[in-house]
Structures are given as structure tokens and as C-alpha cells.
Amino acid sequence: MIKISQNAFAGTLESSDCLVTITPNESNEVNFEINSVVFKQYGNSILKAAQNTVKKFDISGADIKIQDMGAFDCVIEARVETAIKRALKGAK
Amino acid sequence: MNKIVKNIKEALNLCGIKDGMTISFHHHLRNGDNVINMTVNALQELGIKNLNLCASSLFQVHSPIISAFDDETITTVESGYIGGDVGVAISNGKLKNKAVFRSHGHRPSDIKSGKIHIDVAVIAAPTSDDMGNCSGKFGKSACGSLGYAMADAQYADKVIVVTDNLVSYPLCDFSIPETQVDYVVCVDSIGDPEGIVSSTTKITRDPAGLRIAKFAVDCIKNSGLLKNGFSFQTGAGGASLAAAMYLKEIMLKENIKGSFCMGGITGYIVDMLEAGCFETLFDVQCFDLRAVESLKNNPRHKEVSAEHYASPTSKSCIADKLDVVILGATEIDTDFNVNVHTNSQGIIMGGSGGHSDVAAGSKLSIIVAPLIRARLPVIVDRVNCISTPGKTVDILVTQRGIAVNPAKKDLAERLKASGLPVFDIEALKNIAEDFSGKPEPVERGNKIIAEVLYRDGTVIDEIMNYCG
């Protein structure tokens, strides 16, 4: 299990994109915060896409914030993955 | 005789303003209008309550009137379009009574018949003389046509003209005559020119928008209607303007002489007039400065009233002579019903304007919309609000393909034969959902906050409050 130790982000706030921000926290959990312009229609789908992406990495101790402007799930997954990789850069 | 009154408050008093009356406004000053806010502020100071605000449209600039919902100065709103925070406030239940939506053509029809009785009409006039002969063509706040104000001026019990450019009698080229005007008020500024007319209206550069425009014009070309005498209406949105640009190319290349263009007029439509694509422009509202200049200078560019534009009960109207209209949609359902009143959450963000009028009047009505906006598919099982009934909608054009109303089998065959990508509307919906996933339904409130009247007078839909 790798503990997240630095901030990282990926993405933009353009329409149909999302901005993913990762910050370390004191716990062993990975917490999600989702703000979306289509939260009512796609909030569950966004959370699932983010959780599935996180599962591919053996990480803990991170708050993942997703500011979604109506991105497809594949975009959510790609942005979360990139943000995690950036947060892990240089980590042992 | 002196009609000049020193301020709006005094004019309202002279008109005998009382609790429960109906006060009307027009929307040619669009998102630059000061007159509604000034007048509502005066009404609040006078302590008048329970007014019916009958405004042809309301925009973001009018958000200060929400305070008059709170203190019950205004308890009813009747309009053709409610945008910005005013729409959100009504969706949140801030207005005491239901808001009532009518189309731009239906409004003058109901004013004329007395179904809407206007006690006091306030006309924002960019230029007026001291007797109230007034026009939108001149002055620092010029807006062009005053078409939506004409029924108000003609049928209201009392009429106040508010201007910021008072000229000596007579204003020769007037749009509204002194015979209808009781009082004239001169103020420093009736509006912000930046918000009244944009100096430039721009064609979209978005490739999806251009593809939609190209498909729309291909539909027109292959409909059989594009020939000498052709008549047309389009909006001021980026894709609509691009469609006008493609249409102009074809009309010039094939030497097609159209009869008229109706609008909502922009500089691009003025270009088409000047290039010889059309004989006449009918103008109920100018969207930019080029349109204002053209209306002022070109006798073939004619100002018309909302009644002449689209009233369903006039002896005849321009909308019924239209061949093709290009219109927008926030949502369209698989029965081709179109929503332009609410967003996908069900919050009020617009209104019909003339949408349902020209969809009904024209021979061919084309809806242009991107298949997906910020993940939301434009095609849904049932629209949040029916603004325009599907039976009056012929074609949906998206960047991924075209759907034709099943009632128009011949048209579908023609378009297919020309090589256009024609799909069943369900198939287009499935393409969108393959990208986006199926949206979960949005819960609606249980209180009716607005009703939408169709142009035949029936309630075509009701809008529920938003539960956050």
C-alpha cells in the first residue's frame, strides 16, 4: 500500500472535461468528493468510474476531488489515473 | 397639452396605478434593459402590491425584480421567455402565483382579445418626441424594431413612454404613434448598449456546430422548398448563423431569389438581403447594430408587430407564410416534442419566444442541436417541458445524424436518397447513450410554478418547482 504524500491534479474545467485534485490525508482511506453539473443524472456513474480507477493502484491516504463539467466516464477514468500517477511520482 | 412627466413614479401615479393591476413591458433592450428595473423599483417605493408583470421576455439583467417577488409587489408573471436568475427564482418557488408562458405570437392575440388586460404599458423607447411618437431606430440606446411593444401600446388602458433621447416634435419616422401614448418620461439612460445589441454576432467555429449547420442546409436544399420565392427564418445562435452562411452560398450559386426572411434579424441576414438572396426582411427584433442600421436605411427591411409576425388569431400572419425555419432545443423527445423552457434539471432558463409559432406556421421546421451537451444527450424519452409539440417539428439535425418525424415519410425518403445520414430518432438516442450512459431521472418538485400555454390557448405543459 503506497501512501499518497503529495498534491497533484489533472484535467481542466472546460465543458465536457473534469478537474481531478488529489491531496494527502492522515487516514488510510481514499475519500471522494464529487461536484458535477450533471450530478443528478450521472453522480453514481462518476463515483463508480473513479473508484474502479483507484482500485487499479495500491494507494491509501488521499482525498480525491472531482470537479466535473460533464465528462464521459472514460475521461473521468483517464483524469483520475493521471492525477494518481502524478501524485505517486517520486514516491517509494 | 403636455405629456412630459418628470419621473416614472409620477407617471405611474397619473396612470392611477393600483394593487392587482397588470403592467406590461417589451424586451427589445434585451440584456441591457434598465426600464423594467427602474419601474419595478418605483412600484416598490409606491408600495403597490399584487401586480401582474406582463413582460414579453425577461433576462439576467432583470434579477433585481426578484426582490419584488419577495415583498409581493409582483405576484404573477406572464412572459414569453424568462432567463437568468429570474427563471431560477421562479423555479425555486419565489413567486406567489404561477408564472404563465405564452409564445410571442400568442401574446398579442390574447392582448387583443382581452384575455390579457393591460392596465399600464411601459414602452422603453430609444427616441421619442414630447407627444410620444417613438422609435427604436435612433439614439444612443437604439435597438431597432419595436415590434413586441406595438400590441401593448395599442391595447393598454394607459401608456407611458420612457426615453433617453427626447427630440422636438415631430419624430417623423415613428414606430408607435402619439395617439396611443399618455405620458412621456425622459431619463438619463434606458439601457446599456452593450447588452441591447451586440456589435458582432459570430458564426460558430466549433466543428460540430459547422457540421450541424451544413446538414441543416443540405436538408433544406433537398426538401424541394429551396427555389424562387423561398422564405426563411433562423435564430442568432452560432450554428444558426453558420446555416445562414451556407444557405447564402447555395442561393447565390444557384441564383435562387427568395421572397422574405423573418426574424430576429442579424447582420448575416442583412448580408443576404443586400446580396439579393431575399426581396424583403421582416423584423420584429434586431439582434445587432448592422440590423439596426439596415432597418433605419433600407426600405426593403421592414419593421413588423408581434401580431403581424405570428398571432394565431390575426386575419393572417407572416409565420404562416414561412417555408423553412431553423430552431434550437434544450431537449427533444422521441415523439419530437421540443423543450426550450427548462434545462435538464427542470429549472426555467428560457421560453418559447416564437419557437412554437413558426414551427406550426412553417412548411418545414428544423431543430438543430448537438447530440450531446456536457454529457447530456439532447434526445430523451420525455422532455421536461413541452414547449413545441412534436406534430409541428419535422427534422432534428445533430452532428451525428438526422432524424425525420415519422409523419413525414416522403421527406425522409428524399433526404435518404440524397445521401444524408438519416436515422430513427431512437437510433440517434442510442448513439448518444453509448457515449454518455443513460441519465438517471431527475426528481421534480410537487408544486406547479409555471404553466405553458400553447398558441391555441390550451395548457400544453406545467413546470414543477425545483427541489435542490
Side-chain angles (χ1 to χ4, degrees):
Chain A
M1 198 72 107
I2 310 166
K3 218 165 151 49
I4 295 290
S5 59
Q6 60 184 346
N7 296 341
F9 71 88
T12 71
L13 292 173
E14 296 289 314
S15 179
S16 308
D17 198 354
C18 64
L19 179 64
V20 177
T21 313
I22 300 188
T23 43
N25 69 30
E26 296 305 314
S27 74
N28 288 321
E29 310 282 309
V30 176
N31 303 318
F32 294 93
E33 181 190 341
I34 296 171
N35 300 311
S36 171
V37 293
V38 291
F39 190 82
K40 291 196 171 184
Q41 293 95 336
Y42 291 107
N44 291 327
S45 179
I46 294 165
L47 179 62
K48 217 167 106 192
Q51 283 172 332
N52 287 341
T53 308
V54 168
K55 271 186 205 151
K56 292 191 216 158
F57 296 86
D58 193 22
I59 57 166
S60 67
D63 292 329
I64 298 182
K65 184 180 176 189
I66 300 173
Q67 291 164 272
D68 172 55
M69 306 304 286
F72 295 139
D73 280 346
C74 56
V75 176
I76 307 271
E77 287 163 9
R79 295 302 193 192
V80 170
E81 181 176 332
T82 304
I84 293 172
K85 284 177 173 168
R86 285 174 179 167
L88 290 174
K89 214 171 225 178
K92 290 179 189 122
Chain B
M1 182 183 195
N2 176 33
K3 293 185 183 177
I4 301 282
V5 175
K6 73 171 190 288
N7 58 37
I8 293 175
K9 208 191 271 186
E10 195 179 318
L12 289 166
N13 272 332
L14 287 168
C15 288
I17 190 82
K18 282 193 199 66
D19 291 1
M21 281 186 163
T22 293
I23 183 159
S24 84
F25 299 89
H26 65 100
H27 72 276
H28 297 93
L29 304 185
R30 304 177 61 74
N31 203 35
D33 174 54
N34 285 342
V35 172
I36 291 183
N37 292 343
M38 283 191 290
T39 308
V40 170
N41 191 36
L43 291 162
Q44 285 175 302
E45 285 178 18
L46 288 168
I48 309 288
K49 299 288 176 192
N50 286 317
L51 293 169
N52 173 16
L53 179 78
C54 180
S56 53
S57 292
L58 293 164
F59 298 97
Q60 174 60 27
V61 71
H62 299 122
S63 56
I65 71 169
I66 296 166
S67 70
F69 300 168
D70 293 332
D71 66 19
E72 299 197 355
T73 305
I74 296 165
T75 49
T76 308
V77 171
E78 301 190 68
S79 193
Y81 180 104
I82 305 177
D85 288 346
V86 186
V88 176
I90 293 173
S91 284
N92 284 330
K94 289 244 183 190
L95 186 67
K96 187 179 176 189
N97 302 322
K98 278 186 288 191
V100 180
F101 281 102
R102 280 180 189 79
S103 69
H104 283 338
H106 189 197
R107 183 179 185 271
S109 167
D110 275 3
I111 291 173
K112 189 176 181 178
S113 71
K115 282 181 190 151
I116 302 172
H117 178 87
I118 300 172
D119 296 292
V120 179
V122 180
I123 312 289
T127 293
S128 175
D129 65 27
D130 56 337
M131 287 293 123
N133 293 298
C134 61
S135 166
K137 295 176 195 168
F138 319 98
K140 63 177 179 181
S141 307
C143 63
S145 177
L146 289 181
Y148 292 119
M150 290 173 179
D152 304 45
Q154 194 176 349
Y155 297 106
D157 289 347
K158 296 285 180 184
V159 175
I160 303 168
V161 165
V162 180
T163 188
D164 56 9
N165 185 35
L166 190 64
V167 296
S168 57
Y169 189 90
L171 173 66
C172 173
D173 187 4
F174 58 84
S175 299
I176 289 170
E178 62 182 306
T179 53
Q180 299 170 348
V181 177
D182 294 275
Y183 303 105
V184 178
V185 179
C186 188
V187 297
D188 290 338
S189 167
I190 59 168
D192 170 15
E194 292 274 309
I196 298 171
V197 280
S198 54
S199 52
T200 50
T201 34
K202 286 207 180 75
I203 287 178
T204 184
R205 291 169 62 192
D206 168 32
L210 290 173
R211 190 171 151 90
I212 291 167
K214 185 78 174 53
F215 280 157
V217 172
D218 286 341
C219 289
I220 295 170
K221 190 179 167 188
N222 291 293
S223 68
L225 294 167
L226 188 57
K227 53 192 181 199
N228 286 339
F230 174 70
S231 59
F232 180 62
Q233 177 170 344
T234 188
S240 302
L241 293 176
M245 178 183 75
Y246 291 132
L247 187 64
K248 182 182 164 196
E249 281 171 21
I250 294 177
M251 291 180 79
L252 290 178
K253 197 168 135 214
E254 301 189 2
N255 197 25
I256 294 164
K257 301 282 178 209
S259 56
F260 73 90
C261 201
M262 176 70 227
I265 297 295
T266 60
Y268 291 97
I269 301 299
V270 172
D271 285 342
M272 292 179 84
L273 175 75
E274 291 175 359
C277 297
F278 295 102
E279 284 293 321
T280 300
L281 300 190
F282 285 130
D283 194 340
V284 75
Q285 176 178 26
C286 296
F287 283 127
D288 59 25
L289 285 174
R290 278 216 63 207
V292 175
E293 284 303 307
S294 169
L295 181 70
K296 193 159 61 179
N297 299 319
N298 191 336
R300 291 192 294 138
H301 184 164
K302 176 79 177 163
E303 180 178 24
V304 295
S305 67
E307 183 187 13
H308 191 178
Y309 166 34
S311 168
T313 56
S314 60
K315 290 178 182 175
S316 71
C317 70
I318 296 162
D320 289 345
K321 294 292 276 182
L322 280 163
D323 286 331
V324 177
V325 296
I326 297 181
L327 300 165
T330 63
E331 296 177 315
I332 182 167
D333 65 30
T334 48
D335 293 322
F336 286 81
N337 297 307
V338 172
N339 176 15
V340 287
H341 279 88
T342 66
N343 66 13
S344 57
Q345 318 264 352
I347 300 171
I348 293 171
M349 47 127 299
S352 183
H355 198 288
S356 55
D357 294 314
V358 296
S362 62
K363 292 196 183 82
L364 177 67
S365 59
I366 302 173
I367 304 295
V368 291
L371 186 64
I372 299 167
R373 283 192 192 97
R375 193 169 180 169
L376 290 166
V378 73
I379 307 168
V380 296
D381 292 322
R382 164 68 163 82
V383 286
N384 270 303
C385 172
I386 299 178
S387 310
T388 295
K391 64 176 188 223
T392 64
V393 172
D394 300 317
I395 300 178
L396 166 67
V397 177
T398 74
Q399 74 274 40
R400 292 266 167 186
I402 295 159
V404 180
N405 191 323
K408 297 263 175 155
K409 282 204 174 59
D410 293 354
L411 181 64
E413 289 311 316
R414 266 171 180 274
L415 299 185
K416 267 185 211 164
S418 71
L420 283 166
V422 178
F423 296 86
D424 285 342
I425 195 162
E426 283 85 2
L428 273 182
K429 178 167 168 279
N430 291 338
I431 292 172
E433 289 178 359
D434 283 347
F435 282 100
S436 297
K438 203 170 170 59
E440 289 175 37
V442 175
E443 198 189 332
R444 308 215 284 178
N446 51 19
K447 186 185 163 207
I448 298 166
I449 48 95
E451 62 181 22
V452 180
L453 300 182
Y454 190 52
R455 63 204 303 270
D456 62 5
T458 58
V459 177
I460 191 169
D461 212 340
E462 291 168 328
I463 301 172
M464 312 304 283
N465 66 310
Y466 176 69
C467 45

